[in-house]
Amino acid sequence: MKANNLIPYMNNIDTFKRYGKVSKVVGLMLESQGPDCKIGDVCIIHAGGKRKDKKILAEVVGFKEQSIILMPYSDIQEVAPGSLVEATSSSLQIKVGPELIGRVVDSLGEPMDDFTLPVGMKTTPIDRNPPSPLKRPPISEKLEVGVRTIDSLLTVGKGQRLGIFAGSGVGKSTLLGMIARNTKADINVIALIGERGREVREFIERDLGPEGLKKSVVIAATSDMPALMRIKGAFTATAIAEYFRDKGHDVMFMMDSVTRVAMGQREVGLAIGEPPATKGYTPSVFSILPRLLERTGTNEKGSITAFYTVLVDGDDMNEPIADAVRGILDGHIVLDRELANKGQYPAINVLKSVSRLMNHLSSKEHRYAAEKFRDLLSTYMNSEDLINIGAYKRGASKEIDAAIQAYPNLISFLKQETDDAVSLSGSINALIRLIETGEIN
C-alpha cells in the first residue's frame, strides 16, 4: 500500500490517552470527572493503596450532570478519591476459538483454571445484534436431547429456544446435565449465572461429567460476583455460542439462570436511579431480556438451540420474569415440585409444558400418540382425588377406566435415570408402542 493511501488510516488513529478522576463512590457505583467516553465503554481505574499497580475494570453505565457513572467488574476496596480513570474507547471484548472447548471461563472470557489462552485468538464484542428475522432459516429438523419426555412429548428443533421453569431444588441443574451429556449437538455452551460457588464444580464433575465437558464450554459467574459480572456472563456465553454457530456448528446453549441475570440488571438499574416497576424490577430488565434471548436460534450458517432456566419465586409461574421470558421463547418446560416429591425425575409436568414447534416437526402418528398420552394423563389427574378416596366406581366412565389402567405405565415412561441415555427414535417409538399396546418395552 502506497504511503499516500495510509494517510486516511493514520488520521483516524487516536494517539492520546484520556483520563479522569474518581470523585464519588456510592454503594456499587463510582462517579468520575472525565474522561470522554460513551455508554458501554470499559474504563481502567488505577487504584491506590498498598498495590499501586492494581487496575480495576469498570463499565460506563450512565451520566449524571458532568459526571460519568461507572460500575466495576470487581471489588473496589482500594479505590481512593482522585484515583485515575483511563478510557479504553471500546466496549468489552473477549477471545473466542476452538481452544475454549473443554474449559471453564469467567464473565470476561478468562480461564478459571491454570490454562492460558493461546496468542492469536479472535476477539469479538460480547454485545451484538440478533440475526435479521428475514435471514433466519425456518426450523425444520429435530434435535435429539436424550431425555425421553422431551424428545417424545416436547420435541425440540435445531435452533429452538425453550425455558425450563421451576422453583429451587426441583432438578433444573440435573436436567441440564442430562441434556449436555446426551444431546447430539456438536458443542455445548453452558452459562452458570449467579450459582453458589460450591455448585459450579459439582455441576461440572457430577452433572456434566468428563464426557460432557469434552465438548462443552462453561462460563461461570458465581453469586458473590458484582451484578455487572453476572450480566456480562450471560452476554459472554451468548457471544461464544454465536462464534461456533457462525462456524457452521449446531450449538446446544444452556443458561442457569436467566432470572439471576434479570436480578443483576435490577441491581444496576436501581443503582443508577431507574424507577422500580413490576415487583421492583426496573424497565431496563424487560428491555434487556429480548435483546439477549433473541440472539440465539438459527442463522444462515448454523444453529443455537437454547435452554434457559427460570427460577420462579414460590413456584409462581406467572411472576414477572417468568411471564416475560415465556412470551419471548418458543416453548416452556415446567418442573413440578409435587412430582419431585413423589419421586418422579425428571419432574417435568407435561400437561403444563409445551413445545411450539412440535407439530411442525413431528409425523402424524407421533402427534396422535403424544395427544393420546396427554389425554390419558389429564383424565387421570382430573379424577385423581375421586380415585384415591374410593369415590369412583369402575365402569362409570370408559375414559377414566382407560386412564386408570394406563397410569402406571405413563408414569414409568416419564421417569428416567440421570445416566440413562435414550435416542430420539427410541423415545418416539416407545411412545407410539405405549399408546398402541399399553406396554413400555
Side-chain angles (χ1 to χ4, degrees):
M1 186 179 287
K2 295 182 179 179
N4 290 339
N5 294 335
L6 290 172
I7 292 176
Y9 298 95
M10 295 174 65
N11 290 337
N12 290 329
I13 296 175
D14 190 350
T15 58
F16 293 93
K17 282 190 175 182
R18 292 175 168 80
Y19 292 93
K21 289 186 176 182
V22 173
S23 59
K24 187 177 181 181
V25 177
V26 180
L28 303 173
M29 313 304 299
L30 296 92
E31 290 187 18
S32 72
Q33 300 297 319
D36 293 337
C37 50
K38 59 186 182 297
I39 293 288
D41 278 0
V42 175
C43 294
I44 302 171
I45 301 173
H46 297 267
K50 296 180 181 179
R51 293 181 57 194
K52 299 293 185 180
D53 60 338
K54 184 175 181 181
K55 297 179 180 179
I56 299 171
L57 294 180
E59 183 173 313
V60 179
V61 295
F63 304 99
K64 184 178 180 181
E65 296 177 354
Q66 302 302 314
S67 299
I68 295 169
I69 302 176
L70 299 160
M71 178 161 278
Y73 291 145
S74 58
D75 67 89
I76 56 173
Q77 292 180 357
E78 297 186 35
V79 173
S83 293
L84 287 179
V85 180
E86 179 184 344
T88 64
S89 301
S90 67
S91 59
L92 181 62
Q93 299 195 1
I94 59 167
K95 294 179 180 179
V96 292
E99 296 87 353
L100 293 175
I101 299 174
R103 308 249 64 93
V104 182
V105 300
D106 62 16
S107 298
L108 306 181
E110 296 296 328
M112 299 183 72
D113 51 17
D114 296 330
F115 179 76
T116 301
L117 294 178
V119 177
M121 293 178 64
K122 179 184 176 182
T123 59
T124 183
I126 66 169
D127 197 352
R128 299 170 58 187
N129 292 324
S132 168
L134 299 181
K135 292 184 179 180
R136 287 184 184 267
I139 298 172
S140 58
E141 189 176 349
K142 300 173 188 174
L143 179 68
E144 180 177 318
V145 300
V147 179
R148 183 165 50 237
T149 303
I150 297 176
D151 280 340
S152 60
L153 297 167
L154 302 164
T155 308
V156 178
K158 288 183 179 179
Q160 188 172 353
R161 302 161 303 140
L162 295 101
I164 300 176
F165 295 75
S168 57
V170 188
K172 297 185 301 298
S173 298
T174 303
L175 180 58
L176 290 183
M178 290 177 66
I179 295 171
R181 290 193 306 273
N182 299 332
T183 181
K184 295 302 181 182
D186 301 327
I187 297 166
N188 300 318
V189 178
I190 305 169
L192 303 177
I193 309 298
E195 292 288 309
R196 305 173 186 89
R198 168 186 63 82
E199 292 179 329
V200 174
R201 183 169 178 179
E202 283 187 4
F203 176 84
I204 294 169
E205 295 182 355
R206 184 185 63 193
D207 296 327
L208 188 58
E211 291 301 316
L213 185 59
K214 283 181 182 179
K215 63 172 188 176
S216 301
V217 182
V218 180
I219 299 88
T222 52
S223 59
D224 61 300
M225 293 183 177
L228 198 59
M229 285 290 276
R230 282 174 267 144
I231 300 169
K232 296 304 174 184
F235 281 84
T236 294
T238 306
I240 293 172
E242 289 172 327
Y243 166 80
F244 288 110
R245 177 180 63 185
D246 291 343
K247 293 295 182 182
H249 295 293
D250 292 319
V251 181
M252 175 62 72
F253 180 79
M254 287 169 276
M255 183 182 295
D256 184 14
S257 72
V258 71
T259 306
R260 295 192 176 104
V261 179
M263 290 178 175
Q265 182 61 35
R266 177 173 62 182
E267 287 183 42
V268 173
L270 292 174
I272 64 176
E274 272 193 90
T278 311
K279 286 197 175 180
Y281 288 101
T282 57
S284 62
V285 173
F286 300 100
S287 66
I288 197 177
L289 287 176
R291 199 172 91 236
L292 176 65
L293 303 182
E294 285 289 350
R295 287 171 62 182
T296 53
T298 59
N299 70 1
E300 61 272 19
K301 298 177 182 177
S303 69
I304 302 175
T305 306
F307 285 87
Y308 297 93
T309 68
V310 181
L311 182 63
V312 293
D313 293 332
D315 295 331
D316 178 14
M317 298 299 165
N318 295 315
E319 59 96 26
I321 299 304
D323 202 42
V325 171
R326 190 166 48 240
I328 298 168
L329 300 180
D330 307 319
H332 53 272
I333 298 170
V334 176
L335 301 186
D336 196 317
R337 191 177 301 278
E338 290 186 10
L339 297 180
N341 292 340
K342 293 177 181 178
Q344 178 182 319
Y345 286 99
I348 298 174
N349 189 325
V350 296
L351 300 179
K352 294 182 179 179
S353 306
V354 65
S355 169
R356 294 179 180 172
L357 295 177
M358 179 175 172
N359 288 340
H360 302 288
L361 300 171
S362 305
S363 65
K364 186 176 180 180
E365 185 181 23
H366 179 194
R367 290 197 302 271
Y368 171 79
E371 290 168 2
K372 185 64 176 177
F373 186 101
R374 288 174 179 269
D375 182 55
L376 288 169
L377 186 60
S378 176
T379 300
Y380 183 90
M381 298 306 295
N382 290 336
S383 308
E384 187 175 25
D385 291 340
L386 294 175
I387 296 168
N388 289 339
I389 65 175
Y392 175 75
K393 302 300 180 183
R394 287 185 179 271
S397 169
K398 292 182 179 179
E399 291 78 9
I400 297 177
D401 288 346
I404 293 172
Q405 183 177 351
Y407 183 71
N409 285 337
L410 300 182
I411 297 303
S412 296
F413 180 85
L414 295 174
K415 291 181 179 181
Q416 183 176 341
E417 296 293 332
T418 55
D419 56 354
D420 182 14
V422 184
S423 67
L424 174 65
S425 59
S427 297
I428 295 173
N429 291 335
L431 173 66
I432 294 172
R433 184 167 57 250
L434 172 61
I435 297 303
E436 288 181 348
T437 66
E439 299 176 358
I440 294 180
N441 296 320

